């Protein structure tokens, strides 16, 4: 099997990671996604890899501050598992536990299934646990996806957030903002090594929000106790009566009438064919006997009358069959049209009646629109 230069680089990188975890702290990993990338994305990835290489040298020289600066730029260009791991390690060395927890938790959530980096995972878990014990964490949930979440005025992402938000111990103001919704905020306190849950309910613009019992506001009072003279109780919206459902009786009636019309058409068609066959058979017998029905002899008058009667009956039944088929089709179309027609807001009844006459058939619809 052929091996490209990129594949060889990946293999060498994995070998280095396995051999020396300390060097791996600044060693770039393979790209997060295989396949060709757009030119701009490819350029950003190359720049990020160059910065990680630079950070590796600085890290080995214990110039953690300079390594951090290079890795932060690499993170902005290419926020992948390997950059997060290296940056989290560097922040841990600088004792910036809040930032270390942020990047190490990202790396662990996105840890690849590669044997070459498996030995590094315990290091990341150890550094995260030690950093996590020095800071607090916020679990933030917002009722509307896409809302911007801010902690102490600084944006930390959009809902739903992936993972926890790490903060220094103490009180923090958490906000949720969205263009189409009223903002919501909550002030919470979190202890060192502790976790606080924050649930923010935002409501559409110009709609009064429901009272949120127990939610701490800017003044320290809960939303349920806000306002002068007593608790503010949000009035529930007036229920809107659902529109009446479509009346399916006309559809059933039209469908049944269409079926009856089809049955009548089939029956009269069979009867017409039988009568036509009888007339043809009798006419053939008369002709073969050497007689005719234009001016029949006395002995053939009865037979000729029978031929005329059968032919007339066949013609009449054929006309009835055609009218029945037309009526059946019109009724079926009426049933489908009524079923698919949008429901009118008016409540006046609509009456649909079939109309059948000697020259055809139709559908009469009476109502108001």
């Amino acid at each position: 099997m052929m091996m490209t230069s990129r594949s060889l680089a990946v293999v060498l990188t994995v070998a280095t990671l396995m051999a020396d975890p300390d060097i791996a702290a600044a060693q770039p990993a393979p790209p997060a996604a295989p396949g060709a990338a757009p030119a701009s994305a490819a350029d950003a990835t190359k720049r990020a890899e160059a910065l990680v290489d630079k950070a590796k040298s600085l890290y080995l020289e214990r110039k953690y501050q300079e390594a951090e600066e290079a890795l932060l730029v690499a993170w902005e260009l290419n926020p992948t598992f390997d950059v997060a791991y290296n940056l989290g390690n560097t922040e841990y060395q600088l004792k910036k536990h809040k930032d270390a927890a942020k990047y190490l938790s990202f790396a662990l959530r996105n840890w690849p299934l590669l044997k070459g980096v498996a030995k590094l995972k315990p290091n990341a878990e150890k550094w995260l646990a030690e950093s996590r014990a020095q800071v607090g964490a916020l679990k933030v949930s917002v009722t509307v996806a896409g809302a911007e979440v801010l902690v102490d005025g600084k944006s930390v992402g959009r809902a739903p957030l992936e993972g926890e938000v790490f903060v220094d111990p103490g009180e923090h103001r958490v906000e949720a903002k969205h263009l189409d919704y009223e903002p919501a905020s909550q002030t919470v306190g979190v202890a060192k090594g502790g976790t606080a849950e924050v649930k923010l309910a935002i409501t559409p613009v110009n709609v009064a929000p429901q009272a949120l019992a127990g939610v701490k506001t800017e003044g320290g009072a809960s939303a349920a106790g806000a306002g002068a003279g007593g608790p503010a109780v949000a009035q529930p919206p007036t229920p809107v009566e659902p529109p009446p459902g479509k009346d399916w009786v006309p559809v059933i009636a039209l469908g049944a009438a269409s079926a009856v019309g089809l049955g009548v058409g089939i029956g009269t068609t069979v009867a017409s064919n039988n009568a036509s066959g009888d007339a043809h058979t009798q006419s053939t017998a008369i002709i073969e006997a050497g007689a005719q029905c234009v001016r029949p002899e006395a002995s053939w008058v009865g037979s000729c009358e029978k031929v005329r009667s059968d032919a007339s009956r066949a013609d009449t039944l054929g006309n009835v069959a055609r009218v029945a088929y037309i009526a059946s089709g019109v009724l079926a179309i009426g049933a489908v049209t009524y079923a698919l027609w949008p429901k009118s807001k008016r409540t006046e009844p609509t009456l649909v009646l079939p109309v059948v006459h000697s020259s055809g058939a139709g559908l009469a619809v009476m109502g108001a629109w």
Side-chain angles (χ1 to χ4, degrees), residues 10-21:
V10 171
V11 172
L12 292 176
T13 298
V14 171
T16 303
L17 296 177
M18 294 176 63
D20 192 344

Side-chain angles (χ1 to χ4, degrees), residues 282-302:
Q282 186 67 25
S283 176
T284 301
I286 292 173
I287 293 172
E288 289 177 352
Q292 48 83 27
C293 289
V294 178
R295 291 182 179 179
E297 297 178 3
S299 59
W300 292 102
V301 171

Side-chain angles (χ1 to χ4, degrees), residues 41-363:
D43 291 343
T45 301
K46 288 181 180 179
R47 289 177 58 197
E49 289 177 351
L51 286 166
V52 174
D53 285 337
K54 177 182 177 181
K56 178 185 71 173
S57 300
L58 294 169
Y59 181 92
L60 293 175
E61 296 172 7
R62 300 187 182 278
K63 296 180 179 180
Y64 301 129
Q65 189 69 44
E66 291 87 341
E68 177 196 33
E69 294 174 0
L71 288 169
L72 284 172
V73 178
W75 173 258
E76 292 296 326
L77 293 171
N78 192 32
T80 54
F81 138 80
D82 56 299
V83 180
Y85 172 83
N86 294 323
L87 186 53
N89 181 9
T90 304
E91 301 288 19
Y92 172 81
Q93 299 297 336
L94 290 169
K95 300 188 183 303
K96 295 183 178 181
H97 297 295
K98 182 176 65 174
D99 294 330
K102 169 186 173 181
Y103 296 115
L104 290 171
S105 63
F106 177 92
L108 289 170
R109 286 197 305 270
N110 298 275
W111 201 270
L113 299 176
L114 295 174
K115 292 182 179 179
V117 295
K119 291 184 178 180
L120 299 177
K121 195 171 185 179
N123 292 336
E125 292 172 339
K126 172 179 174 292
W127 297 330
L128 175 60
E130 292 180 7
S131 297
R132 178 69 181 80
Q134 301 300 316
V135 298
L138 303 175
K139 289 184 178 180
V140 183
S141 62
V142 185
T143 54
V144 177
E148 184 181 16
V149 180
L150 300 94
V151 176
D152 298 328
K154 181 180 179 181
S155 178
V156 295
R158 294 189 177 275
L161 296 180
E162 181 184 0
E164 299 173 319
V165 179
F166 298 102
V167 294
D168 294 322
E171 282 200 345
H172 298 276
R173 181 176 179 234
V174 185
E175 300 173 89
K177 294 182 178 181
H178 194 287
L179 288 177
D180 301 324
Y181 293 80
E182 298 287 351
S185 65
Q186 184 178 345
T187 299
V188 295
V190 59
K192 188 176 184 180
T195 302
E197 274 198 44
V198 181
K199 297 181 179 180
L200 297 175
I202 58 177
T203 57
V205 176
N206 298 327
V207 175
Q210 298 293 330
L212 301 177
V215 177
K216 195 173 181 182
T217 61
E218 283 302 297
S222 66
V233 180
Q235 295 298 324
T238 304
V240 179
E241 183 178 354
K246 181 183 286 292
D247 184 6
W248 293 101
V249 173
V251 177
I252 297 173
L254 291 171
S258 176
V260 171
L262 181 60
V264 170
I266 293 173
T268 52
T269 297
V270 172
S272 175
N273 290 339
N274 290 338
S276 179
D278 291 343
H280 179 73
T281 300
Q282 186 67 25
S283 176
T284 301
I286 292 173
I287 293 172
E288 289 177 352
Q292 48 83 27
C293 289
V294 178
R295 291 182 179 179
E297 297 178 3
S299 59
W300 292 102
V301 171
S303 297
C304 288
E305 287 296 329
K306 181 69 167 59
V307 171
R308 294 190 185 95
S309 176
D310 288 341
S312 177
R313 185 160 56 91
D315 186 57
T316 301
L317 291 172
N319 290 333
V320 172
R322 282 190 288 274
V323 171
Y325 286 134
I326 293 172
S328 176
V330 170
L331 291 168
I333 292 172
V336 173
T337 301
Y338 182 86
L340 299 179
W341 197 270
K343 174 100 179 133
S344 174
K345 295 182 179 179
R346 301 187 59 142
T347 58
E348 290 84 347
T350 301
L351 185 61
V352 183
L353 295 175
V355 178
V356 181
H357 46 81
S358 60
S359 60
L363 197 66

